Amino acid sequence: MDKVTVPIFRERKGKEKLTMLTAYDYTFANVVDSAGIDSILVGDSLGNVMLGYPNTIPVTVDEMIHHTKAVTKGTKRALVVIDMPFMSYHESIEQAKRNAGRMMKESGADAVKLEGGVRMKEAIKALVDIEIPVMGHIGLTPQSIHRMGSYKVQGKGKEAAALIKDAKAVEEAGAFSVVLECVPRQLAKEITDMLSIPTIGIGAGPDCDGQVLVIHDLLGLLGEFRPKFVKTYINIRQEMDTSIKNFIEEVRAGAFPDDAHSFH
Ligand code: KIV
């Protein structure tokens, strides 16, 4: 199958739903890509699920590049998008260009993603102007956790107008797509109908042009806590737990390795 490029991704709007999952290393990227996903996001959720940080705030440009390099090595077809971490594009346009350029050159990603609407319009435009494709991200933006206080649905009631402005700003700045995170489904539909670029929903209902999930959530790797929008397709954590316990028991009982798993 042909490589998914930015124009191919963008042109799928209104034709066929887009699929996106996160991956943070070579093996997971390879599994997700072979299964036929359209796009792999190396999200800064890396901080939560791979590095054990309490939120995405501490994630660095170097950490994003390190993991994305492995992902691009494991990916043949999917469009690889790298997240710009907190404070890597907030200081100035020059800083945004320097970091995005470095992240593209060193990681091999096809595009960057950054959080923010109206306030990030100039930064998005500056990156697009130097040939760096940008995916926007509005609604619940985890890098704003300290302003928001908690991870909650955005754009309810009076907040809806501001979210619509954010969506328009991202499109006008030249982004090729936008993530809508934790937005009421009716508002997500309104924004999807209004924009000419694809919307990728996470907790934004079924009417977006595509859907993204964190792979650890889909596989049930993180244990009991699950946001409402997450569908766990398999409980891998339980399977892992059982397998590891079997290994421990067999080693202790002298049952592993048996003759079949030994050299002669
Ligand atoms: O970092 C991430 O994984 C994300 C997705 C949740 C959209 O931004």
Side-chain angles (χ1 to χ4, degrees):
M1 278 209 263
D2 289 343
K3 163 86 186 158
V4 181
T5 60
V6 165
I8 287 174
F9 190 89
R10 191 185 165 146
E11 281 153 26
R12 284 266 295 276
K13 184 175 176 94
K15 294 182 183 135
E16 196 185 350
K17 293 267 188 186
L18 289 153
T19 58
M20 187 181 214
L21 283 172
T22 65
Y24 314 94
D25 65 20
Y26 174 83
T27 305
F28 269 64
N30 197 239
V31 171
V32 170
D33 187 59
S34 309
I37 205 81
D38 295 315
S39 178
I40 294 180
L41 171 65
V42 190
D44 60 354
S45 49
L46 165 75
N48 304 86
V49 301
M50 299 298 287
L51 303 177
Y53 299 155
N55 50 48
T56 59
I57 301 296
V59 177
T60 65
V61 167
D62 286 341
E63 286 166 343
M64 290 305 305
I65 291 174
H66 175 80
H67 284 263
T68 308
K69 267 184 181 172
V71 167
T72 53
K73 286 199 183 85
T75 306
K76 286 200 177 79
R77 177 183 171 270
L79 182 85
V80 178
V81 180
I82 181 170
D83 245 346
M84 295 194 72
F86 181 60
M87 287 314 291
S88 68
Y89 54 101
H90 303 72
E91 280 173 26
S92 65
I93 297 292
E94 289 316 309
Q95 187 217 20
K97 289 202 276 192
R98 199 170 47 249
N99 279 322
R102 193 183 148 216
M103 290 169 81
M104 293 289 287
K105 278 170 86 87
E106 295 182 25
S107 73
D110 302 305
V112 301
K113 176 167 83 58
L114 59 86
E115 296 181 7
V118 173
R119 275 177 292 175
M120 286 302 155
K121 188 171 178 182
E122 291 311 313
I124 296 173
K125 192 170 174 324
L127 298 186
V128 173
D129 282 350
I130 56 166
E131 312 293 3
I132 297 179
V134 179
M135 178 176 275
H137 183 160
I138 60 171
L140 194 166
T141 47
Q143 291 173 14
S144 319
I145 179 61
H146 295 305
R147 172 179 59 77
M148 295 183 311
S150 65
Y151 299 109
K152 53 180 184 276
V153 178
Q154 303 290 304
K156 280 187 166 175
K158 284 188 190 144
E159 288 172 9
L163 202 65
I164 289 171
K165 275 192 193 145
D166 281 336
K168 278 191 186 142
V170 169
E171 177 176 58
E172 280 164 16
F176 71 94
S177 176
V178 61
V179 169
L180 303 181
E181 180 164 353
C182 287
V183 173
R185 61 178 286 184
Q186 297 81 355
L187 181 58
K189 179 174 175 3
E190 193 181 328
I191 291 173
T192 300
D193 291 345
M194 181 186 79
L195 297 186
S196 65
I197 55 172
T199 57
I200 308 298
I202 174 162
D207 300 304
C208 296
D209 297 302
Q211 297 291 329
V212 57
L213 279 181
V214 170
I215 184 87
H216 289 59
D217 287 333
L218 176 149
L219 297 178
L221 266 167
L222 297 179
E224 287 313 303
F225 173 72
R226 240 161 257 159
K228 176 176 172 161
F229 59 81
V230 166
K231 179 166 175 187
T232 302
Y233 285 79
I234 181 174
N235 195 336
I236 287 269
R237 195 183 174 99
Q238 207 165 30
E239 301 289 322
M240 287 171 76
D241 187 64
T242 307
S243 310
I244 293 162
K245 283 182 176 140
N246 285 344
F247 170 75
I248 294 169
E249 259 176 45
E250 287 193 8
V251 170
R252 286 188 182 149
F256 177 83
D258 55 9
D259 199 46
H261 293 94
S262 303
F263 293 110
H264 296 274

